[in-house]
Amino acid sequence: MRVLSILLLISLSVPKKTLSVSFFDNFDGGLTKWNVENDGYTQSIWGGFIEGVYGWYSSDGKLWGEAGTNETSFISPIVDSISRDFEFSCKAVNYNGVDQSFWFQDINNAGNIYEVNYRYKEPDWPQDHNKISFRKTVNGVQVFFIQIPMGVNGLPDLLPDVEYKLKVTFVHGVVKIYLDSFLIYRYIDNSPISVGKIVFRNWGGHFYQ
């Protein structure tokens, strides 16, 4: 997967009233605002990292992410704190592969995660593409999962080589997932995860992404 992203993270300190920008990056200064695992090298799914192969890097004022066969890579913005209610958004393009995956993680328990995954329309992966998925994991165990098909019911296709605005909001335990101006899914969580970390994730199976 190759990802072009411009990240904007907005904290909703008083929902619907006060917006304060807590993180913004146009990537003109490299990755100084980011935690980059293994100095940006991709990691083998079998363990260890692959020296000389960069999973995340900045170029031309953009963030790029790649993962090859049996590889994974992670990057997360350096944010002092995230309020319980906040909005995440970025502009993104998928040039190759299927997935753009974002984790919203409990900083004190890595097994507590909301995952939003944008699965692009890929001719070489027709059995499971052109969907947006949402997953909740508690203590490493999946407790909820849904996939929303795109290109039906008035929703647009999720196409490669097209720039989209991706947005996820968290307000009072309600998670909303957007693609451009379209509300894709709304999830009400009576036991919400206390999100303290946002992670961009790349991965590759037995094929190149």
Side-chain angles (χ1 to χ4, degrees):
M1 171 171 50
R2 305 187 72 183
V3 184
L4 152 63
S5 298
I6 303 173
L7 179 70
L8 174 63
L9 176 64
I10 297 177
S11 170
L12 302 181
S13 55
V14 181
K16 299 182 180 180
K17 293 183 180 180
T18 303
L19 297 179
S20 59
V21 177
S22 58
F23 183 92
F24 174 79
D25 200 354
N26 58 11
F27 302 105
D28 59 359
L31 299 180
T32 56
K33 297 181 179 181
W34 296 78
N35 287 312
V36 188
E37 295 188 21
N38 297 322
D39 293 326
Y41 294 126
T42 60
Q43 304 163 63
S44 168
I45 62 173
W46 312 117
F49 63 86
I50 305 168
E51 187 171 352
V53 180
Y54 285 91
W56 295 96
Y57 58 94
S58 63
S59 177
D60 299 323
K62 303 173 181 68
L63 173 67
W64 296 80
E66 298 182 2
T69 302
N70 295 326
E71 295 174 10
T72 185
S73 60
F74 304 90
I75 190 171
S76 58
I78 299 172
V79 183
D80 291 336
S81 63
I82 299 176
S83 65
R84 188 177 185 88
D85 299 327
F86 69 95
E87 174 184 299
F88 161 87
S89 66
C90 67
K91 294 178 181 179
V93 178
N94 199 67
Y95 291 115
N96 187 303
V98 180
D99 298 281
Q100 284 178 332
S101 182
F102 303 94
W103 288 357
F104 302 90
Q105 192 172 43
D106 184 340
I107 199 168
N108 296 313
N109 186 339
N112 294 343
I113 301 172
Y114 295 116
E115 179 185 40
V116 179
N117 193 20
Y118 294 82
R119 297 186 61 86
Y120 287 76
K121 192 171 185 178
E122 171 56 60
D124 294 332
W125 197 256
Q127 67 272 34
D128 185 22
H129 70 164
N130 202 23
K131 299 176 180 178
I132 296 176
S133 66
F134 174 76
R135 182 193 319 269
K136 181 183 179 182
T137 301
V138 176
N139 294 322
V141 178
Q142 178 179 295
V143 297
F144 183 83
F145 178 75
I146 190 171
Q147 284 189 321
I148 298 91
M150 304 301 292
V152 297
N153 300 321
L155 296 177
D157 285 311
L158 190 54
L159 302 174
D161 302 315
V162 176
E163 182 178 282
Y164 294 101
K165 180 179 179 180
L166 315 181
K167 185 172 76 171
V168 185
T169 66
F170 298 80
V171 178
H172 298 325
V174 178
V175 183
K176 294 182 180 179
I177 302 168
Y178 295 85
L179 180 72
D180 289 336
S181 61
F182 293 91
L183 174 60
I184 304 301
Y185 186 67
R186 180 175 182 265
Y187 176 74
I188 300 175
D189 195 343
N190 293 320
S191 300
I193 293 171
S194 180
V195 175
K197 182 179 181 181
I198 298 173
V199 180
F200 287 29
R201 172 180 176 257
N202 268 336
W203 69 278
H206 299 293
F207 53 91
Y208 182 76
Q209 291 207 99

